[in-house]
Amino acid sequence: MTGRTSMTERSHVELITIYEICRILGASLDIGRTFRASLNVLAAHLGLPRAMIVMTGDDADSELHVHSSVGLDHEQEARGRWHYGEGVIGHVFASGMPAVIPDVAQDGDFIDRTGAFGPQAERMMAFVVVPMKTDRAVVGVLAAQREVQGGARLSDDQRILTMVATLLAQAVALHSAVRDEHQRLQLESTRLQKALARETRARHTIDNVIGESRPMQQVFNEVHQAAPSRATVLLRGESGTGKEAIARGIHFLSPRKDSPFIKVNCAALTETLLESELFGHEKGAFTGAIGDRKGRFELADGGTLFLDEIGDISQALQAKLLRVLQEREFERVGGTKSVKVDVRLICATNRDLEKMVQRGEYRADLYYRINVVSIFLPPLRERRADIPPLVAHFLDRFNKENRRNLKVTPEAMKVLASCYWPGNVRELENCIERTATMIQGDQIRELAFPCKQNRCLTQTLHFLDKADAVAAVAPPVALPMPTVSRASPPPDPNDGFEGEDGESMMESDDDDVIRIGPTEHVASTRHFGNEPPDSERDRLIWAMEQCGWVQAKAARLLNITPRQLGYALQKHRIEVRKF
């Protein structure tokens, strides 16, 4: 009667154990957390002080390791590693058959890698290992240890552990299926995002305009938005940013793409010639007008007229242009008959029209007429991601035209990507063509560019008048007040050697002399004495006189670099005297 009662109690405990483990495994797909909770249930309900789940890694050939455990510390878990077929753990995983060791002290195949399941003094410790099998393969093993006492039946432990291992194996299979599906969805999502990005770039792309950066993609988006309408477009941006190419792209994306695209550079003609060019003239309107001539407005009838440098036209022509925009009609020069036209106008300028309107240099009503849709083209320095594809495009075109096979080294590309490019894309194109023409060999290296040899004329021209360019390349030059001892004589002007052009040069490598023009000529030597003057310009001239107009010495006297001295001389337009 007592045996039957104990068996009934055991069955009840096993049923509760299975129920609790099923509830835990069904509550979450995180097998790391649910497996540890399941082992805690086994330890609490069945009196198994130590138990562990051993599995392989993501790689099928990797060794077995402890995935979850109860009764083991972190060091013991870290030591628990077996090769395939090694010891009781490896053998059960390889064969898929359970194993029961009544006494670990008497079994020769038992390998206790963790150090937690070994024999104990005066205690008989059993070890039960069952496989975690699915329909396809063995995914791990469940192992537990029990002290063998009185009526302990290891077969009961094997049975309940086998049922628990089946539940754990199904959880592993479900987790793997969800993980694989999640990875598949992630890959599919990534593929769709890339395809959508390619489609967006293809849709927001203009022929003959390279722009992969985010600012240019925004420009392309605005172009595609404005192109189908008839609204007047004003393109703003620095010189060389590609305003004409964008204007042509707007035309060919509009319903007028089959009609003429006429362009006029308003800054290239005088007021009289520009008026005749835009509106045409009648025979005899002026000397040399031997016949009627259509203007650009008439030639662009039904199409698009691109007026470049719209900020450079005179105020008299601004009034006539305003009438055309308002009434869509005009008279030729010397004529009285009104001519009606249907023209879409695209204007471009690199000038600040708002300040010109404030100063009265530009008509406000014309400004409001042309500033309907404004598209700002970013300078090249604000879209440096486009520099490599632009370089590749220009170099590929040069190679085809000249039958060469030039390539740009990574170091040279870094030089191009770090330049300020005040002339923007036009300057980059000229730099590539100039360097490619003069290079010997098949590789354009870092030292091949003029800027690496202080011969970049573009930097010289733009550093004269553009303070923002100076700030981007070098910090502002603040000339310190040098301390000159009254007893110390001025530096010897002849301390150096005379170059081929007769200019006094230094033997040291720090003589970084920069020659530019136009500059203001210092008519005669100004004698300031040994004390430096207060004003910055006079202090420059004083230092140059003290050092015999040798820039390297003057820079050392002022405690600045030769390059900073060169910028300061350019800023104050001081001509470097030659001897």
Side-chain angles (χ1 to χ4, degrees), residues 98-141:
V100 178
I101 301 177
D103 187 0
V104 296
Q106 303 298 327
D107 193 281
D109 295 333
F110 177 74
I111 300 177
D112 183 21
R113 289 290 173 81
T114 63
F117 297 93
Q120 299 182 15
E122 299 180 356
R123 300 176 67 183
M124 182 177 178
M125 305 301 297
F127 193 60
V128 182
V129 184
V130 295
M132 296 166 48
K133 294 192 295 185
T134 63
D135 295 338
R136 297 182 179 180
V138 177
V139 296
V141 297

Coordinates of all heavy atoms in Angstrom, one line a residue, residues 98-141:
P98 N 19.6 7.3 -24.9 CA 19.8 7.7 -23.5 C 20.9 6.8 -22.8 O 21.1 5.7 -23.2 CB 18.5 7.6 -22.9 CG 17.8 6.6 -23.6 CD 18.2 6.7 -25.1
A99 N 21.4 7.4 -21.8 CA 22.4 6.6 -21.0 C 22.2 6.9 -19.5 O 22.0 8.1 -19.1 CB 23.9 7.0 -21.4
V100 N 22.3 5.9 -18.7 CA 22.2 6.0 -17.2 C 23.4 5.4 -16.6 O 23.7 4.3 -16.8 CB 20.9 5.3 -16.7 CG1 20.8 5.4 -15.2 CG2 19.6 5.9 -17.4
I101 N 24.1 6.2 -15.8 CA 25.3 5.8 -15.0 C 24.9 5.7 -13.6 O 24.7 6.8 -12.9 CB 26.4 6.8 -15.3 CG1 26.8 6.9 -16.8 CG2 27.6 6.4 -14.5 CD1 27.9 7.8 -17.1
P102 N 24.8 4.5 -13.0 CA 24.3 4.4 -11.6 C 25.4 5.0 -10.6 O 25.0 5.6 -9.6 CB 24.2 2.9 -11.4 CG 24.0 2.3 -12.7 CD 24.8 3.2 -13.6
D103 N 26.6 4.9 -10.9 CA 27.7 5.4 -10.0 C 28.8 6.0 -10.9 O 29.5 5.3 -11.6 CB 28.2 4.3 -9.1 CG 29.2 4.9 -8.1 OD1 29.4 6.1 -8.1 OD2 29.7 4.1 -7.3
V104 N 28.9 7.3 -10.9 CA 29.9 8.0 -11.8 C 31.3 7.6 -11.3 O 32.3 7.7 -12.2 CB 29.7 9.5 -11.7 CG1 28.4 9.9 -12.3 CG2 29.9 10.1 -10.3
A105 N 31.5 7.2 -10.1 CA 32.9 6.8 -9.6 C 33.3 5.5 -10.2 O 34.5 5.2 -10.3 CB 32.9 6.7 -8.1
Q106 N 32.4 4.7 -10.7 CA 32.8 3.4 -11.2 C 32.7 3.3 -12.8 O 33.0 2.2 -13.3 CB 31.8 2.3 -10.7 CG 31.8 2.3 -9.1 CD 33.1 1.9 -8.5 OE1 33.9 1.1 -9.1 NE2 33.5 2.5 -7.4
D107 N 32.4 4.4 -13.4 CA 32.2 4.4 -14.9 C 33.4 5.0 -15.5 O 33.8 6.1 -15.2 CB 30.9 5.1 -15.3 CG 30.6 4.9 -16.7 OD1 31.2 5.5 -17.6 OD2 29.6 4.1 -17.0
G108 N 34.1 4.2 -16.5 CA 35.3 4.7 -17.1 C 35.0 5.7 -18.3 O 35.9 6.5 -18.7
D109 N 33.8 5.7 -18.8 CA 33.4 6.6 -19.9 C 33.0 8.0 -19.5 O 32.8 8.9 -20.3 CB 32.3 6.0 -20.8 CG 32.8 4.7 -21.5 OD1 34.0 4.6 -21.7 OD2 31.9 3.9 -21.8
F110 N 32.8 8.1 -18.2 CA 32.3 9.4 -17.7 C 33.4 10.4 -17.6 O 34.5 10.2 -17.1 CB 31.7 9.2 -16.3 CG 31.2 10.5 -15.6 CD1 30.1 11.1 -16.1 CD2 32.0 11.1 -14.6 CE1 29.6 12.3 -15.5 CE2 31.5 12.3 -14.1 CZ 30.4 12.9 -14.5
I111 N 33.2 11.5 -18.3 CA 34.2 12.6 -18.3 C 33.5 13.9 -17.8 O 32.6 14.4 -18.4 CB 34.7 12.9 -19.8 CG1 35.3 11.7 -20.4 CG2 35.6 14.1 -19.8 CD1 35.8 11.8 -21.8
D112 N 34.0 14.3 -16.6 CA 33.4 15.5 -16.0 C 34.2 16.7 -16.3 O 35.1 17.1 -15.6 CB 33.3 15.2 -14.4 CG 32.6 16.4 -13.7 OD1 31.9 17.1 -14.4 OD2 32.9 16.6 -12.5
R113 N 33.8 17.3 -17.4 CA 34.5 18.5 -17.9 C 34.2 19.7 -17.0 O 35.0 20.6 -16.8 CB 34.2 18.8 -19.3 CG 34.9 17.8 -20.3 CD 36.4 18.1 -20.3 NE 37.1 17.1 -21.0 CZ 37.2 17.1 -22.4 NH1 36.6 18.0 -23.1 NH2 37.9 16.1 -23.0
T114 N 33.0 19.8 -16.5 CA 32.5 20.9 -15.7 C 33.1 20.9 -14.3 O 33.3 22.0 -13.7 CB 31.0 21.0 -15.6 OG1 30.6 19.8 -14.9 CG2 30.4 21.0 -17.0
G115 N 33.4 19.7 -13.8 CA 33.9 19.6 -12.4 C 32.8 19.6 -11.4 O 33.0 19.7 -10.2
A116 N 31.5 19.6 -11.8 CA 30.4 19.6 -10.9 C 29.7 18.3 -10.7 O 28.9 18.1 -9.7 CB 29.3 20.7 -11.4
F117 N 29.9 17.4 -11.6 CA 29.2 16.1 -11.6 C 30.1 14.9 -11.2 O 29.7 13.8 -11.4 CB 28.6 15.8 -12.9 CG 27.5 16.8 -13.4 CD1 27.9 17.9 -14.2 CD2 26.2 16.6 -13.0 CE1 26.9 18.8 -14.6 CE2 25.3 17.6 -13.4 CZ 25.6 18.6 -14.2
G118 N 31.2 15.2 -10.6 CA 32.1 14.1 -10.2 C 31.7 13.3 -9.0 O 30.7 13.7 -8.3
P119 N 32.4 12.3 -8.7 CA 32.1 11.5 -7.5 C 32.3 12.3 -6.2 O 33.1 13.2 -6.1 CB 33.1 10.3 -7.6 CG 34.2 10.8 -8.4 CD 33.6 11.8 -9.4
Q120 N 31.5 11.9 -5.2 CA 31.6 12.6 -3.9 C 31.8 11.5 -2.8 O 31.3 10.4 -2.9 CB 30.3 13.3 -3.6 CG 30.0 14.4 -4.6 CD 28.7 15.2 -4.3 OE1 28.2 15.1 -3.1 NE2 28.2 16.0 -5.2
A121 N 32.5 11.9 -1.8 CA 32.9 11.0 -0.7 C 31.7 10.4 0.0 O 30.8 11.2 0.4 CB 33.8 11.7 0.3
E122 N 31.6 9.1 0.2 CA 30.6 8.4 0.9 C 29.2 8.6 0.3 O 28.2 8.5 1.1 CB 30.6 8.8 2.4 CG 32.0 8.4 3.1 CD 31.9 8.8 4.5 OE1 30.9 9.4 5.0 OE2 32.9 8.6 5.2
R123 N 29.1 9.0 -0.9 CA 27.8 9.2 -1.6 C 27.9 8.6 -3.0 O 28.8 8.8 -3.7 CB 27.5 10.7 -1.7 CG 27.4 11.4 -0.3 CD 27.2 12.9 -0.4 NE 25.8 13.2 -1.0 CZ 25.4 14.4 -1.2 NH1 26.2 15.5 -1.0 NH2 24.2 14.6 -1.7
M124 N 26.8 7.9 -3.3 CA 26.7 7.3 -4.6 C 25.9 8.2 -5.5 O 24.7 8.4 -5.3 CB 26.0 5.9 -4.5 CG 25.9 5.2 -5.8 SD 25.2 3.5 -5.5 CE 25.2 2.9 -7.2
M125 N 26.6 8.8 -6.5 CA 26.0 9.8 -7.4 C 25.7 9.2 -8.8 O 26.6 8.6 -9.4 CB 26.9 11.0 -7.6 CG 27.3 11.7 -6.2 SD 25.9 12.2 -5.2 CE 25.2 13.4 -6.3
A126 N 24.5 9.2 -9.2 CA 24.1 8.7 -10.5 C 24.0 9.9 -11.5 O 23.8 11.0 -11.2 CB 22.7 8.0 -10.4
F127 N 24.1 9.5 -12.8 CA 24.1 10.5 -13.9 C 23.2 10.0 -15.0 O 23.5 8.9 -15.6 CB 25.6 10.8 -14.4 CG 25.8 12.0 -15.2 CD1 25.5 13.2 -14.8 CD2 26.2 11.8 -16.5 CE1 25.6 14.4 -15.6 CE2 26.4 13.0 -17.3 CZ 26.1 14.2 -16.8
V128 N 22.2 10.8 -15.3 CA 21.2 10.4 -16.3 C 21.3 11.4 -17.5 O 21.2 12.6 -17.3 CB 19.8 10.4 -15.8 CG1 18.8 9.9 -16.9 CG2 19.7 9.5 -14.6
V129 N 21.5 10.9 -18.7 CA 21.7 11.7 -19.9 C 20.7 11.2 -21.0 O 20.7 10.0 -21.3 CB 23.1 11.7 -20.5 CG1 23.2 12.6 -21.7 CG2 24.1 12.0 -19.4
V130 N 19.8 12.1 -21.5 CA 18.9 11.8 -22.5 C 19.0 12.8 -23.7 O 19.4 13.9 -23.5 CB 17.4 11.8 -22.0 CG1 17.2 10.8 -20.9 CG2 17.1 13.2 -21.4
P131 N 18.8 12.3 -24.9 CA 18.9 13.2 -26.1 C 17.7 14.1 -26.3 O 16.6 13.7 -25.9 CB 19.1 12.2 -27.3 CG 18.3 11.0 -26.8 CD 18.5 10.9 -25.3
M132 N 17.9 15.2 -26.8 CA 16.9 16.2 -27.3 C 16.7 16.0 -28.8 O 17.5 16.5 -29.5 CB 17.2 17.6 -26.9 CG 17.3 17.8 -25.4 SD 18.1 19.4 -24.9 CE 17.3 20.5 -25.9
K133 N 15.7 15.2 -29.2 CA 15.6 14.8 -30.6 C 14.3 15.5 -31.2 O 13.3 15.6 -30.6 CB 15.5 13.3 -30.7 CG 16.7 12.6 -30.3 CD 16.7 11.1 -30.7 CE 15.6 10.4 -30.0 NZ 15.6 8.9 -30.3
T134 N 14.5 15.9 -32.4 CA 13.4 16.3 -33.3 C 13.2 15.3 -34.4 O 13.9 14.3 -34.4 CB 13.6 17.7 -33.9 OG1 14.7 17.7 -34.7 CG2 13.8 18.7 -32.8
D135 N 12.3 15.6 -35.3 CA 12.1 14.7 -36.4 C 13.3 14.6 -37.3 O 13.5 13.6 -38.1 CB 10.9 15.1 -37.3 CG 9.6 15.0 -36.5 OD1 9.6 14.3 -35.5 OD2 8.6 15.7 -36.8
R136 N 14.2 15.6 -37.3 CA 15.3 15.7 -38.2 C 16.6 15.2 -37.6 O 17.4 14.5 -38.2 CB 15.5 17.1 -38.7 CG 14.3 17.6 -39.6 CD 14.5 19.0 -40.1 NE 13.3 19.4 -40.9 CZ 13.3 20.6 -41.5 NH1 14.3 21.5 -41.4 NH2 12.2 21.0 -42.2
A137 N 16.9 15.6 -36.4 CA 18.2 15.4 -35.8 C 18.2 15.5 -34.3 O 17.2 16.0 -33.7 CB 19.3 16.3 -36.4
V138 N 19.3 15.2 -33.7 CA 19.5 15.5 -32.3 C 20.0 16.9 -32.1 O 21.0 17.3 -32.7 CB 20.5 14.5 -31.7 CG1 20.7 14.8 -30.2 CG2 20.0 13.1 -31.8
V139 N 19.4 17.7 -31.4 CA 19.7 19.1 -31.2 C 20.5 19.4 -29.9 O 21.0 20.5 -29.7 CB 18.5 20.0 -31.3 CG1 17.9 19.9 -32.7 CG2 17.5 19.7 -30.2
G140 N 20.5 18.4 -29.0 CA 21.2 18.6 -27.8 C 21.0 17.4 -26.8 O 20.3 16.4 -27.2
V141 N 21.4 17.6 -25.6 CA 21.2 16.5 -24.6 C 20.8 17.2 -23.3 O 21.2 18.4 -23.0 CB 22.5 15.7 -24.4 CG1 22.8 14.9 -25.6 CG2 23.6 16.5 -23.9

